[in-house]
Amino acid sequence: MTKYLFDDNLRVEGRIDVGGGVTLYFQTDCGMYCEGSFSSNGFSDNGTVIKGVNGTSWRGMAISERASFRNSTIEGSGSGVVEVGGLTAEAPAAIYTTAQRGAISNVTFSSNTGYGVYYADSTAACDIDVDNTVFLDQSLAAIRTTPQSVGEMLSDREDRANEYNMPDGIPAILVQTVGFPTRTWPDLGDDNFYLIDAQMITNRYVLGWRLMAGAHIKFKDGTYGGYQIDLNNAALSFRVNGTADKPVIFDSESGTPGSWGGFYLGTKSNVWWEIEHLIVRNGGGFLIPGTSTLPDATEKANNLSFAHASPRVES
């Protein structure tokens, strides 16, 4: 086994490749900024390890271009934001990245006091596939990303599902609402949930939005959600595919009555909804505004508001 110790903050330009059997140690409160691509390619029987020296807390890694981690373990990061080489990260994270491509597969995140993976570019979707990965003892969300990136980063295949062992009240996925939800959002398992951090309204062309059975979506108190499409396009479907055993759930973060506005469904006639086994809780705290071509809600519906559409609804 090969071991490397970084005893200060480090900025690297270009590409870093770390192979199986390698351990990277970071001195207390230090981190790395890779202004390029970082690849950690361990093997199932000979992985790579990235951690603080002697079990101490370190800051984490920031990666600008491509982030690839396979058969790796990342432990004990999050003592502070990565601040090196002209970069000051927005938040502490084991992997802080603006990279739009890469892969995180068969990785274990353990005892990180920041985020596990933090995607920091709100201008484009992230296509870093995260699969067969375990998040243990996270103090903050396992993944922080944008609405248009969730379906790109997470697979809806059970054989590629991640494992989230989150403390009570901590979301597995924190969704920063710059952008529009699209593609498929899978069930996160157990009591794990997505947390939407502000209003999330889909009101322009997207590739459809589908929520799989068991998906649990929470909205920040005082906010609301909606699928308000102003275009006549049958491809812009909104599908909630819950089951009797595993319904899809919408709720507020606090779970108290009237703590959020609820969910507004307002679309043109060629846009359809398919809603099967959806539970919406604790909404109706205020009227939800419409768009330039769709009306405001007229009632504080607990918990769904409808306008101008052709729903297919199954209880």
Side-chain angles (χ1 to χ4, degrees):
M1 178 175 285
T2 305
K3 301 179 181 180
Y4 297 91
L5 171 64
F6 299 103
D7 62 1
D8 203 347
N9 288 312
L10 178 68
R11 175 178 176 268
V12 180
E13 294 183 14
R15 176 174 174 173
I16 299 176
D17 292 301
V18 180
V22 172
T23 299
L24 304 183
Y25 290 102
F26 283 85
Q27 192 56 263
T28 304
D29 210 31
C30 290
M32 173 188 289
Y33 175 31
C34 177
E35 196 169 0
S37 299
F38 187 97
S39 176
S40 173
N41 287 318
F43 304 98
S44 58
D45 59 349
N46 194 22
T48 61
V49 178
I50 306 170
K51 61 191 299 186
V53 65
N54 297 322
T56 59
S57 184
W58 58 294
R59 295 200 174 208
M61 293 178 291
I63 303 165
S64 67
E65 292 183 10
R66 186 179 182 89
S68 296
F69 294 79
R70 292 180 173 85
N71 297 302
S72 303
T73 299
I74 304 175
E75 297 179 8
S77 70
S79 65
V81 301
V82 174
E83 189 172 8
V84 60
L87 170 76
T88 300
E90 298 172 2
I95 301 172
Y96 177 94
T97 184
T98 55
Q100 295 166 17
R101 297 192 178 277
I104 298 173
S105 181
N106 292 292
V107 175
T108 298
F109 291 81
S110 178
S111 302
N112 295 295
T113 56
Y115 295 92
V117 180
Y118 189 104
Y119 178 58
D121 185 357
S122 62
T123 65
C126 179
D127 194 20
I128 297 177
D129 295 326
V130 184
D131 67 86
N132 292 303
T133 288
V134 178
F135 296 88
L136 299 170
D137 301 322
Q138 289 285 141
S139 296
L140 298 176
I143 299 172
R144 185 269 198 185
T145 190
T146 58
Q148 65 268 39
S149 300
V150 173
E152 302 281 358
M153 297 179 74
L154 304 180
S155 172
D156 58 354
R157 286 174 41 183
E158 291 187 5
D159 62 338
R160 294 184 59 191
N162 301 312
E163 181 180 340
Y164 306 93
N165 294 280
M166 309 301 296
D168 290 344
I170 302 298
I173 310 295
L174 176 63
V175 183
Q176 179 241 353
T177 52
V178 175
F180 304 89
T182 184
R183 299 190 184 275
T184 300
W185 290 24
D187 174 22
L188 301 177
D190 297 325
D191 294 325
N192 294 304
F193 61 93
Y194 301 87
L195 177 63
I196 314 300
D197 72 353
Q199 265 76 252
M200 187 173 73
I201 298 295
T202 296
N203 59 12
R204 69 172 180 83
Y205 186 87
V206 293
L207 297 175
W209 187 25
R210 183 186 186 193
L211 300 173
M212 297 296 291
H216 189 176
I217 316 292
K218 291 188 178 183
F219 292 80
K220 281 280 189 181
D221 288 18
T223 68
Y224 59 90
Y227 198 82
Q228 304 179 36
I229 297 295
D230 297 346
L231 305 174
N232 283 304
N233 189 320
L236 306 180
S237 62
F238 174 65
R239 291 181 290 172
V240 176
N241 296 139
T243 64
D245 294 335
K246 297 178 66 176
V248 172
I249 299 173
F250 288 169
D251 201 350
S252 67
E253 183 178 20
S254 67
T256 57
S259 51
W260 68 301
F263 199 85
Y264 185 115
L265 287 172
T267 60
K268 292 295 186 69
S269 59
N270 278 353
V271 182
W272 57 271
W273 318 325
E274 180 182 81
I275 301 177
E276 305 168 293
H277 299 284
L278 170 65
I279 297 174
V280 187
R281 297 172 175 156
N282 298 307
F286 52 87
L287 291 175
I288 300 175
T291 67
S292 59
T293 60
L294 294 171
D296 295 345
T298 57
E299 300 289 341
K300 296 178 182 179
N302 193 3
N303 293 290
L304 288 173
S305 296
F306 301 93
H308 293 199
S310 305
R312 305 183 199 173
V313 180
E314 296 185 18
S315 60

